[in-house]
C-alpha cells in the first residue's frame, strides 16, 4: 500500500512529501518532534506526548500550529490512510519557512509534518540475548529536555555504536556520569537490587516510556533511586536496560564489550518489560494482543 504523509495541510504520497528549502527545520534544526507508539490502532500515552510536544514548543517560543484536537484528528487520518495498527507516529513542528536569518522571523507559520511507520517486531532472539551498548562522550547542548530535531551528536554516537557492533551508545559527561542513550533512556539495577535511572532535569529527555515505567515501578514496590549513575557503576551492575517508544523496555547485556551481570537479560528487567507491555495493552483496551506486544519493538 502506498504510504501517505501529512505536510502543512495536505495528505501527500510519501515519495512526493517535501518541505521548502528555507524551512527553518532544514536550515537551523529549529523545530521539535515526537514519536508516539501505536498499539492496535491506539496512540499509547498520547496526552503525555502532546504535553511534551507543547512544552518543547514553548521552550523554543514556537507557537502551537493548531489546537491539540486538530493535531489528534490529523494523526488519526494519517494512521487511517496508512492502515497502521502497530508501529509509531512521527510528528514534527518547525518554526516555519522564512529567508535565512538566525533571529526569529516575524511572520513565519509553524510547519507541521506527520508520518507513520510500521513497527518491526523484535525477534525472540533479540529479547533473549539483549542488546549491547557502548559509552561515548556526551557532546550535546545543555537543553536535552527539549525534544529538538537537532540530533547530530546523537546520530554520530549511534553510528559509532553501529560500527562497534552495538545497538546503542550511552552518552557520558566529563565526570563519568551517564546521561542517556542517543534515542533511549538508560537504567541499571545494582548488585543489591536497586533500580537506578537519571533524574529528569535539563540533562536528559524525560522519556514517556520512562515516566510510564516509573508509575508501574511504584505499583510493583521495586526499590528505586532517581539519580545519575557512572559508567563504572553500570559496568558493575547486575542488570541494565534501555527504554523508548520504539524499544519499550530492552535488556542491555553488554557495555563496551563486557557482559552486564551474567550476560543475560535480567529478571527485574524482563518483569518491567512485562509491566510496560501490560500498560500498552491497557491503553489498547484488552489482552488479546498481548502476544504481539511482547515481541514488538
Ligand atoms: N527517541 N532520550 C532521547 C535522547 C530520545 O531521543 C528518546 C526518544 C528517549 C526516550 O523517550 P520516549 O520514551 O518518550 O520515546 C530518550 C525517539 C524514540 C526517537 O528519536 O526516535
Amino acid at each position: 500500500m502506498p504510504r501517505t504523509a501529512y505536510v502543512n495541510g495536505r495528505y501527500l504520497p510519501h515519495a512526493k512529501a517535501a518541505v521548502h528549502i528555507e524551512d527553518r527545520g532544514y536550515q537551523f534544526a529549529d523545530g521539535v518532534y515526537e514519536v508516539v507508539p501505536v498499539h492496535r490502532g491506539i496512540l499509547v500515552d498520547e496526552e503525555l506526548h502532546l504535553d511534551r510536544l507543547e512544552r518543547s514548543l514553548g521552550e523554543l517560543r514556537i507557537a502551537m500550529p493548531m489546537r491539540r484536537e486538530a493535531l489528534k484528528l490529523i494523526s488519526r487520518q494519517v494512521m487511517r490512510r496508512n492502515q497502521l495498527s502497530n508501529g509509531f507516529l512521527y510528528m514534527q513542528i518547525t518554526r516555519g519557512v522564512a529567508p535565512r536569518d538566525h533571529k526569529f522571523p516575524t511572520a513565519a507559520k509553524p510547519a507541521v509534518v506527520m508520518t507513520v511507520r510500521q513497527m518491526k517486531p523484535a525477534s525472540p532472539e533479540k529479547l533473549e540475548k539483549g542488546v549491547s551498548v557502548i559509552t561515548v562522550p556526551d557532546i550535546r547542548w545543555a537543553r536535552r529536555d527539549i525534544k529538538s530535531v537537532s540530533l547530530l551528536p546523537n546520530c554520530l554516537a549511534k553510528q559509532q555504536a553501529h560500527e562497534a557492533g552495538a545497538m546503542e551508545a550511552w552518552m557520558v559527561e566529563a565526570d563519568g556520569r551517564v546521561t542517556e542513550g542517543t534515542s533511549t533512556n538508560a537504567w541499571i539495577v545494582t548488585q543489591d537490587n536497586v533500580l537506578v535511572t537519571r533524574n529528569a532535569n535539563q540533562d536528559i529527555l524525560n522519556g514517556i516510556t520512562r515516566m510510564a515505567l516509573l508509575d508501574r515501578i511504584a505499583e510493583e514496590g521495586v526499590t528505586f533511586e532517581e539519580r545519575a549513575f557512572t559508567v563504572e557503576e553500570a559496568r558493575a551492575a547486575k542488570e541494565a536496560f534501555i527504554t523508548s517508544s520504539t524499544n519499550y523496555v530492552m535488556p542491555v547485556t553488554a557495555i563496551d564489550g563486557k557482559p552486564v551481570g551474567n550476560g543475560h537479560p535480567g529478571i527485574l528487567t524482563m518483569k518491567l518489560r512485562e509491566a510496560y507491555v501490560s500498560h500498552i495493552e491497557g491503553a489498547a483496551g484488552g489482552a488479546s494482543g498481548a502476544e504481539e506486544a511482547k515481541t514488538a519493538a
Side-chain angles (χ1 to χ4, degrees):
M1 195 196 53
R3 290 177 71 195
T4 299
Y6 172 87
V7 186
N8 294 325
R10 297 199 296 160
Y11 295 93
L12 299 169
H14 199 269
K16 298 226 161 73
V19 292
H20 193 272
I21 54 165
E22 283 195 313
D23 186 286
R24 287 180 62 97
Y26 179 63
Q27 297 279 0
F28 298 116
D30 187 2
V32 302
Y33 75 106
E34 275 298 325
V35 177
V36 189
V38 177
H39 180 61
R40 289 164 60 206
I42 301 292
L43 288 151
V44 179
D45 290 324
E46 181 182 26
E47 296 298 337
L48 294 178
H49 281 278
L50 291 171
D51 287 347
R52 187 171 65 184
L53 180 75
E54 274 197 44
R55 181 182 179 278
S56 294
L57 288 170
E59 291 299 302
L60 300 182
R61 293 161 55 198
I62 299 175
M64 256 300 256
M66 57 187 83
R67 283 182 304 110
R68 203 183 259 229
E69 287 313 311
L71 283 176
K72 286 186 183 177
L73 222 77
I74 296 166
S75 58
R76 275 148 190 76
Q77 268 295 323
V78 177
M79 280 161 55
R80 196 182 61 73
R81 286 171 190 244
N82 289 280
Q83 292 175 19
L84 184 82
S85 53
N86 290 302
F88 54 88
L89 171 82
Y90 182 88
M91 276 188 223
Q92 178 170 310
I93 300 174
T94 70
R95 203 179 301 275
V97 176
R100 191 179 183 281
D101 180 357
H102 289 61
K103 61 185 188 299
F104 297 172
T106 44
K109 245 178 60 199
V112 183
V113 166
M114 278 196 217
T115 53
V116 294
R117 207 191 270 184
Q118 306 279 347
M119 181 106 91
K120 291 192 208 99
S123 62
E125 296 86 68
K126 191 173 173 191
L127 282 175
E128 269 163 35
K129 283 199 183 129
V131 298
S132 306
V133 303
I134 59 165
T135 57
V136 301
D138 195 334
I139 59 169
R140 296 175 301 161
W141 73 330
R143 289 303 308 275
R144 303 156 190 153
D145 55 313
I146 299 170
K147 200 162 170 61
S148 141
V149 293
S150 171
L151 291 170
L152 189 52
N154 309 53
C155 294
L156 293 174
K158 187 79 104 187
Q159 180 62 21
Q160 198 179 327
H162 176 67
E163 287 171 10
M167 181 262 186
E168 178 62 301
W170 279 3
M171 296 177 283
V172 183
E173 292 172 306
D175 63 4
R177 297 183 314 162
V178 174
T179 51
E180 61 187 329
T182 65
S183 59
T184 57
N185 288 117
W187 305 65
I188 57 167
V189 180
T190 65
Q191 291 296 339
D192 40 2
N193 295 313
V194 181
L195 180 65
V196 185
T197 197
R198 193 159 175 138
N199 47 312
N201 52 20
Q202 296 187 349
D203 297 335
I204 65 163
L205 182 77
N206 191 2
I208 305 298
T209 322
R210 176 190 179 281
M211 284 197 264
L213 203 60
L214 285 180
D215 288 343
R216 303 282 88 68
I217 284 160
E219 284 165 15
E220 305 251 340
V222 176
T223 317
F224 171 67
E225 285 174 15
E226 215 174 345
R227 62 165 174 85
F229 59 83
T230 62
V231 173
E232 212 180 317
E233 263 187 292
R235 287 193 183 133
K238 193 171 176 182
E239 304 182 16
F241 63 92
I242 51 177
T243 55
S244 76
S245 297
T246 45
N247 289 282
Y248 300 174
V249 175
M250 183 59 69
V252 169
T253 47
I255 299 175
D256 292 327
K258 307 238 166 51
V260 177
N262 62 11
H264 297 290
I267 291 168
L268 181 57
T269 301
M270 294 317 275
K271 198 172 143 193
L272 293 175
R273 183 171 170 99
E274 292 275 321
Y276 183 72
V277 168
S278 308
H279 166 67
I280 287 186
E281 279 303 313
S288 59
E291 288 312 309
E292 314 159 26
K294 268 181 202 153
T295 52

